[in-house]
Amino acid sequence: MATYLLRRLIIAIPSLLGISAILFTILALAPGDPFAEMAANPNVPPEIREAIRASFGLNDPIGMRYLRWLSALAQGDWGFSFASRIDVDDLILQRVPTTLFIVGSSQILALCIAFPVGTFAATRPYSIFDQIANTLAFVGFSLPTFFTGLLFILLFSVKLDWLPFVYRSDIAATGWHWYWEMFRQAIMPITVLGLFQAASYTRYVRSAVLDVVRLDYVTTARAKGLSERTVTLRHITRNALIPVVTMVALQMPAVFGGAIVTEQIFRIPGIGSLLIGAILANDTPVIMSVTFVFTCLVVLFNLIADLLYGWLDPRISFG
């Protein structure tokens, strides 16, 4: 296992370097100037502006700037935010817990819905339950999160006045009341993301279970007199999880990307809103750092998927 992990990490390094070089080059060549606001200010002389640009190395060749960024990153320096005037790593660490809470909770909700619904529908194909589950899955997958988010706001915030539609990190409360208010304001974004992912996962789970339920060893298990619950849990679900694990692991970076829209709708102070604000302000150090984090997530969840294969299927060896 340790040898396999080391080998995968070594293979991941050239991929991360190549992707980071491409991202850095695209951002460096993109139109826009992080000091455009300063340029429009008549109180700032041009020589002062150029001196500031030179201090950040923005006039240097792209290759030199990339090597300087890579060297600083290796030492734990993620750069300096032009817009927020603080270090990028501090800025990201302020936003990460909120995003992880929303995305993590939504994924737990999605999996808790998709696995039982998809399995139950697949073991009873073309039944009323299967048809209803398929219909709801297609509807849920077709509706974008910004549409369902606005519907939730109109219904539960505007019409019924049950839940707040603006996510606040500075709740003026203490004790259990603080936890309750945090839970109330997180219900809608978690549900919007969770239902959207659950619709997609349900289709994959149903398809995977249908492929397994027709295999000979499942028929043999039933012929031995095992209960349907034992056959489903021990012989069907575990083997059907292998392709589902692949899909869920590879979907996680896309989930973080999709959370950007949800964070904008509910004004959640997370990584998504940070990235949107950085793009609007041409804050390239923040954009580069956030996109590089998403790149690392792709590599990380690919590795997690491979490790879960070995746990689900003993035939897979990491040697």
Side-chain angles (χ1 to χ4, degrees), residues 116-125 127 130 206 209-210 213 222 228 232 236-237:
V117 172
T119 302
F120 193 83
T123 53
R124 293 158 180 81
S127 63
D130 184 30
R206 180 184 181 276
V209 173
L210 278 176
V213 79
R222 289 196 176 103
E228 190 63 27
T232 301
I236 296 177
T237 305

Side-chain angles (χ1 to χ4, degrees), residues 182-195:
M182 287 292 293
F183 173 74
R184 286 182 67 244
Q185 68 178 359
I187 289 176
M188 286 198 294
I190 290 174
T191 305
V192 167
L193 274 176
L195 291 179

Side-chain angles (χ1 to χ4, degrees), residues 6-17:
L6 181 61
R7 185 168 65 248
R8 285 295 303 270
L9 291 175
I10 293 175
I11 294 174
I13 291 176
S15 301
L16 292 175
L17 290 176

Side-chain angles (χ1 to χ4, degrees), residues 104-313:
S105 301
S106 67
Q107 290 308 291
I108 293 174
L109 175 63
L111 294 174
C112 288
I113 294 174
F115 279 120
V117 172
T119 302
F120 193 83
T123 53
R124 293 158 180 81
Y126 310 112
S127 63
I128 298 297
F129 181 87
D130 184 30
Q131 296 176 20
I132 294 175
N134 273 324
T135 301
L136 293 178
F138 277 110
V139 171
F141 184 75
S142 302
L143 294 177
T145 54
F146 71 84
F147 180 77
T148 53
L150 292 176
L151 284 181
F152 273 51
I153 290 175
L154 290 174
L155 178 60
F156 296 107
S157 295
V158 177
K159 185 71 175 177
L160 300 176
D161 195 23
W162 287 354
L163 302 170
F165 64 88
V166 175
Y167 194 99
R168 296 174 51 197
S169 57
D170 56 343
I171 297 177
T174 57
W176 287 107
H177 183 62
W178 183 86
Y179 289 103
W180 170 245
E181 290 299 323
M182 287 292 293
F183 173 74
R184 286 182 67 244
Q185 68 178 359
I187 289 176
M188 286 198 294
I190 290 174
T191 305
V192 167
L193 274 176
L195 291 179
F196 181 77
Q197 292 299 320
S200 175
Y201 293 166
T202 300
R203 295 169 56 216
Y204 282 102
V205 172
R206 180 184 181 276
S207 177
V209 173
L210 278 176
D211 290 339
V212 173
V213 79
R214 301 187 181 98
L215 297 180
D216 293 339
Y217 70 85
V218 176
T219 304
T220 304
R222 289 196 176 103
K224 289 180 177 179
L226 297 178
S227 65
E228 190 63 27
R229 176 185 176 86
T230 302
V231 172
T232 301
L233 295 179
R234 185 173 299 177
H235 298 279
I236 296 177
T237 305
R238 180 162 183 167
N239 290 281
L241 281 178
I242 296 177
V244 176
V245 164
T246 307
M247 186 272 303
V248 173
L250 297 181
Q251 277 283 96
M252 286 305 298
V255 171
F256 278 92
I260 295 176
V261 178
T262 306
E263 289 185 1
Q264 287 296 104
I265 294 173
F266 295 101
R267 298 295 185 266
I268 300 173
I271 292 295
S273 59
L274 174 63
L275 179 61
I276 294 297
I279 292 174
L280 295 177
N282 290 314
D283 198 351
T284 50
V286 176
I287 300 173
M288 184 65 200
S289 298
V290 174
T291 51
F292 185 71
V293 168
F294 285 157
T295 303
C296 294
L297 286 176
V298 174
V299 176
L300 173 63
F301 284 108
N302 270 279
L303 178 59
I304 292 175
D306 289 343
L307 294 178
L308 287 176
Y309 288 159
W311 177 70
L312 293 170
D313 191 347

Side-chain angles (χ1 to χ4, degrees), residues 38-52:
M38 186 180 296
N41 189 346
N43 297 322
V44 180
E47 57 271 14
I48 299 297
R49 185 173 66 251
E50 288 302 317
I52 295 176

